[in-house]
Amino acid sequence: MSPISVEFLGTGTSQGIPMIACSCEVCTSSDQHDQRLRVSMHIQTQGKSFIIDTGPDFRQQMLRAQIKHVDAVIYTHEHKDHTAGMDDLRGFNYVQKSSIPLYAQVNVIDQLKREFAYAFGENKYPGVPEIETFPISHQAFEIQGVKIQPILVRHYMLDVLGFRFGDFTYITDANYISDEELEKVKGSKVFVINALKKTSHISHFTLDEALEVIDKVQPERAYITHISHQMGLHAEVQKELPPHVFLAYDGLQLTV
């Protein structure tokens, strides 16, 4: 498979870091690694450009990363910190002179249609996002010749999709992965998984739980994302991790 270039557009939890009105040591840190937008990922492979999730910071992320072209958007699930920025796809419509394909589970598409009804109506107002929706499940699918393997995980009571591109696997918003789905991850050279904080949470892995999953997968390198201010300072937490495990940070770029 062709090389895969990835950029972490955001690595924070639903409220981002710094969190509004918080004066903890992480939210007031001057270390850029402690400043996290909502989670999103840019994937480039085989000459194609994909975005995973368009959260509330989508516009800022596109401008910061200087992304000029998007072939498709792929959604993990329907929560607002992963979908709220969908309207800003309009910029790509204008430049590319085409609609943008959206790939998501049926329930996610239904949620987008409710929240962005103006983009799906028969008599659309000029200038609304021009999009096409394509339903996916946990079965492998292709976008313009690029094969993508979804990984079905649980986010408390909600089904969420992670995605594997060749030797790279990305999972966010999970607190349970079945052995069957974990088999689809094994063999990945680079594995990204969420860990909200060190103490328990109803719908996210803790740091120790994420490390247990990483140990089962045995990747060459692993990265933690969807991090809250309760995790602690980036520099201090990084010192506690195994040599092949890293806290991801906004703007981090990798080639797999």
Side-chain angles (χ1 to χ4, degrees), residues 37-100:
L37 301 178
R38 270 62 73 94
V39 288
S40 181
M41 180 71 73
H42 185 211
I43 309 283
Q44 297 181 88
T45 187
Q46 296 176 226
K48 305 301 178 184
S49 172
F50 305 129
I51 300 295
I52 300 180
D53 291 337
T54 58
D57 305 312
F58 179 66
R59 176 180 177 275
Q60 181 181 351
Q61 291 164 338
M62 295 301 97
L63 293 172
R64 184 177 66 182
Q66 299 184 42
I67 295 171
K68 305 296 186 183
H69 184 91
V70 171
D71 289 294
V73 174
I74 310 167
Y75 285 105
T76 59
H77 64 297
E78 64 265 43
H79 283 166
K80 292 287 279 188
D81 56 320
H82 296 258
T83 63
M86 193 273 282
D87 182 84
D88 283 315
L89 288 170
R90 290 180 296 156
F92 292 111
N93 293 148
Y94 179 79
V95 172
Q96 297 174 203
K97 306 293 191 246
S98 65
S99 60
I100 304 297

Side-chain angles (χ1 to χ4, degrees), residues 114-129:
R114 288 192 292 272
E115 295 185 0
F116 299 95
Y118 59 88
F120 293 90
E122 291 185 8
N123 300 308
K124 293 186 284 189
Y125 191 85
V128 302

Side-chain angles (χ1 to χ4, degrees), residues 38-206:
R38 270 62 73 94
V39 288
S40 181
M41 180 71 73
H42 185 211
I43 309 283
Q44 297 181 88
T45 187
Q46 296 176 226
K48 305 301 178 184
S49 172
F50 305 129
I51 300 295
I52 300 180
D53 291 337
T54 58
D57 305 312
F58 179 66
R59 176 180 177 275
Q60 181 181 351
Q61 291 164 338
M62 295 301 97
L63 293 172
R64 184 177 66 182
Q66 299 184 42
I67 295 171
K68 305 296 186 183
H69 184 91
V70 171
D71 289 294
V73 174
I74 310 167
Y75 285 105
T76 59
H77 64 297
E78 64 265 43
H79 283 166
K80 292 287 279 188
D81 56 320
H82 296 258
T83 63
M86 193 273 282
D87 182 84
D88 283 315
L89 288 170
R90 290 180 296 156
F92 292 111
N93 293 148
Y94 179 79
V95 172
Q96 297 174 203
K97 306 293 191 246
S98 65
S99 60
I100 304 297
L102 309 183
Y103 290 79
Q105 297 178 92
V106 171
N107 56 295
V108 180
I109 293 173
D110 289 343
Q111 183 78 2
L112 290 172
K113 288 180 177 179
R114 288 192 292 272
E115 295 185 0
F116 299 95
Y118 59 88
F120 293 90
E122 291 185 8
N123 300 308
K124 293 186 284 189
Y125 191 85
V128 302
E130 293 292 338
I131 52 182
E132 298 178 77
T133 58
F134 297 87
I136 58 175
S137 64
H138 61 287
Q139 303 298 322
F141 63 100
E142 287 191 7
I143 304 177
Q144 299 183 37
V146 178
K147 182 179 178 181
I148 303 165
Q149 174 62 64
I151 313 297
L152 183 64
V153 303
R154 293 288 281 177
H155 180 39
Y156 184 45
M157 301 297 288
L158 183 67
D159 284 343
V160 171
L161 294 181
F163 300 101
R164 179 170 181 170
F165 297 76
D167 290 328
F168 174 79
T169 298
Y170 177 76
I171 292 175
T172 184
D173 288 61
N175 70 328
Y176 173 77
I177 309 173
S178 71
D179 290 341
E180 180 181 1
E181 292 299 305
L182 203 59
E183 284 298 317
K184 300 175 184 177
V185 181
K186 292 181 179 178
S188 299
K189 292 181 179 179
V190 175
F191 177 39
V192 180
I193 188 170
N194 67 297
L196 193 71
K197 54 183 181 174
K198 294 178 181 178
T199 54
S200 63
H201 189 271
I202 194 171
S203 61
H204 285 277
F205 285 127
T206 66

Side-chain angles (χ1 to χ4, degrees), residues 6 8 11 41 168-172 189-195 207 210-211 214 219-227 234 238 241 243-249 252-256:
V6 305
F8 291 82
T11 56
M41 180 71 73
F168 174 79
T169 298
Y170 177 76
I171 292 175
T172 184
K189 292 181 179 179
V190 175
F191 177 39
V192 180
I193 188 170
N194 67 297
L207 182 57
L211 290 173
I214 291 168
E220 293 178 4
R221 290 173 288 160
Y223 294 85
I224 304 296
T225 193
H226 210 297
I227 298 164
H234 179 101
Q238 183 59 56
L241 299 178
H244 68 300
V245 179
F246 308 89
L247 287 187
Y249 55 86
L252 173 62
Q253 299 180 22
L254 307 171
T255 300
V256 184

